[in-house]
Amino acid sequence: MTVDAVDYKALPKIELHAHLSGSISRQCLHEVWLKKKENGETDLQDPLIEMPLGKHDYDLKTFFPLFSSYIYHLVSDVWALRYTTLSVLSDFASDGVVYLELRTTPRAMPHAGLTKAQYVSTILSAIAEFESTTTSALKTKLILSVDRRNTLPEAYEVLALCRQFSGQGGVVGIDLCGDPAKGPINIFTPVFEEARRTIPGLGMTLHFAEAEASGTEEELLTLLSWKPNRIGHVIHLNERIREKVKRRGGMGLELCLSCNVHAGMVCGGFESHHFGEWWKVEETVVVLSTDDVGVFGSPLSNEYALVAKHFGLTRADICSLVRKGIDVIFGGDEEKERLRALMWSA
Ligand SMILES: CNc1ncnc2c1ncn2[C@@H]1O[C@H](COP(=O)(O)O)[C@@H](O)[C@H]1O
């Protein structure tokens, strides 16, 4: 059978690197805007004008302000948070995602009287609502992100929320994300070390070598010293760091092709993407991810189609790639069993 015969949407897939606010479709943002406009609650421009359909070429300079100066002003109350979360879940489910680890930076919404803990519990309630009211196979867990722009006390707040909502609560991991031009990140060492030491079963994933500025050997050695289970993007690393990543054994690599290509984070287009270098490396586990499907416009099914096209993966390669990802999820052994039963073996 040729690779063209794979139905990438129907292929049961796992998504491990998706930022909640960046995964909201423009149509959904437009619906939120319409309601706020009707209620006289916003002066913002229509999302379909601010972020026209088909525009995906945000680079690292234009990308981060999109959140702080636009999306966060639209998703600014419990109603919008619940509405957009349900829409994101529904989009992943319709794309054939059966297991999702959604990540988000806890955000208080003072005008709506929402604390960071209520932000997290609103999202967890939306996940529970989605799972109890649809027939979809999608199961979703949450990862809480520390932003590189955070202060140390803010990072400790994220840690406290991980503690509060981990276990049966639905939070399965902690992340470091945000603008790679901001730093240094070594101020967060005690937070991530404490997460590792004191919250049993909490996974750790870190944005790693995303840009030249965040790819210094000093930063990458610090990040590796926190002992992450997974790292994201993995672009600007030298041979020594590459060897260390391999030597760690079983490290998950969350690779986001469309994001990296559209944002100009890699040179040479899809066929030069470092997926080509990593996917056959036995010591690591590559997991294709969307990062911000609302911004970059490529659903996970398309990411699989892209690697098949640009790197010649066969149907068997695709099935084995997607199944291998199960080993590095944070959702526990029972979930791994469910996924092994669901995933196609070839
Ligand atoms: C290029 N890829 C990326 N690199 C680093 N951080 C990223 C990111 N994509 C998204 N974020 C982080 O996620 C936040 C939005 O989602 P949440 O409000 O947390 O759900 C952004 O503000 C940014 O800090």
Side-chain angles (χ1 to χ4, degrees):
M1 193 177 284
T2 70
V3 74
D4 293 333
V6 179
D7 180 343
Y8 294 103
K9 252 190 181 204
L11 176 76
K13 295 173 289 297
I14 66 180
E15 166 69 78
L16 301 185
H17 188 128
H19 298 267
L20 172 59
S21 307
S23 300
I24 307 168
S25 73
R26 289 161 203 211
Q27 178 58 33
C28 175
L29 287 174
H30 173 71
E31 288 157 17
V32 171
W33 176 83
L34 268 184
K35 177 164 184 280
K36 296 208 158 191
K37 197 79 188 159
E38 273 165 26
N39 294 346
E41 289 169 9
T42 185
D43 292 327
L44 289 173
Q45 175 90 274
D46 183 342
L48 296 179
I49 295 174
E50 183 75 26
M51 307 166 62
L53 291 173
K55 175 175 169 50
H56 305 303
D57 57 346
Y58 293 90
D59 62 20
L60 291 181
K61 286 215 167 62
T62 53
F63 174 77
F64 292 99
L66 198 59
F67 295 93
S68 45
S69 55
Y70 187 73
I71 296 176
Y72 290 167
H73 294 285
L74 271 181
V75 185
S76 59
D77 55 39
V78 172
W79 174 82
L81 183 59
R82 174 183 165 273
Y83 189 81
T84 52
T85 303
L86 288 172
S87 163
V88 165
L89 298 178
S90 164
D91 289 348
F92 276 112
S94 335
D95 191 44
V97 174
V98 292
Y99 177 78
L100 166 65
E101 286 177 10
L102 202 54
R103 63 186 69 189
T104 197
T105 322
R107 185 158 58 90
M109 298 176 177
H111 296 299
L114 201 76
T115 63
K116 289 185 182 180
Q118 287 164 334
Y119 174 90
V120 175
S121 65
T122 302
I123 295 167
L124 290 170
S125 303
I127 292 172
E129 180 182 340
F130 184 85
E131 291 181 358
S132 64
T133 55
T134 65
T135 52
S136 145
L138 176 66
K139 294 276 181 254
T140 302
K141 302 289 180 193
L142 202 58
I143 293 172
L144 299 184
S145 303
V146 172
D147 189 304
R148 298 172 69 102
R149 291 161 288 193
N150 283 165
T151 60
L152 187 59
E154 285 168 335
Y156 271 117
E157 272 184 89
V158 176
L159 178 66
L161 293 169
C162 285
R163 200 184 308 286
Q164 182 178 347
F165 292 102
S166 65
Q168 291 310 303
V171 169
V172 295
I174 187 166
D175 165 46
L176 178 72
C177 74
D179 187 345
K182 310 286 181 210
I185 49 84
N186 53 7
I187 61 158
F188 301 124
T189 294
V191 176
F192 282 84
E193 282 184 353
E194 194 174 324
R196 161 76 56 241
R197 244 192 8 259
T198 64
I199 310 184
L202 190 78
M204 187 192 297
T205 172
L206 304 172
H207 282 64
F208 191 87
E210 221 184 331
E212 258 181 68
S214 65
T216 63
E217 190 156 324
E218 187 190 357
E219 167 159 336
L220 301 183
L221 288 173
T222 301
L223 294 175
L224 288 176
S225 77
W226 301 350
K227 301 196 169 40
N229 310 88
R230 303 196 312 243
I231 52 180
H233 295 287
V234 198
I235 302 172
H236 296 273
L237 53 167
N238 65 28
E239 199 45 50
R240 266 195 306 277
I241 300 288
R242 215 171 268 135
E243 281 312 307
K244 276 187 183 295
V245 167
K246 287 183 195 165
R247 246 181 285 132
R248 189 56 64 84
M251 178 97 91
L253 307 187
E254 304 154 358
L255 302 188
C256 310
L257 276 83
S258 290
C259 155
N260 296 166
V261 170
H262 290 313
M265 295 157 71
V266 293
C267 300
F270 287 105
E271 53 279 0
S272 308
H273 193 274
H274 47 291
F275 170 85
E277 171 199 334
W278 284 104
W279 77 278
K280 286 187 180 157
V281 172
E282 285 293 325
E283 297 93 329
T284 55
V285 180
V286 165
V287 188
L288 291 184
S289 306
T290 56
D291 201 56
D292 296 280
V293 61
V295 180
F296 298 112
S298 174
L300 193 58
S301 55
N302 191 52
E303 296 297 294
Y304 279 92
L306 283 170
V307 296
K309 175 172 166 201
H310 293 285
F311 299 96
L313 275 74
T314 64
R315 180 190 169 92
D317 292 334
I318 291 282
C319 292
S320 123
L321 182 66
V322 90
R323 282 182 74 93
K324 232 179 137 190
I326 300 173
D327 292 342
V328 295
I329 70 165
F330 295 158
D333 289 341
E334 231 174 85
E335 186 53 34
K336 287 182 178 170
E337 282 314 306
R338 185 186 75 97
L339 292 174
R340 289 199 180 101
L342 269 178
M343 298 276 191
W344 299 349
S345 47

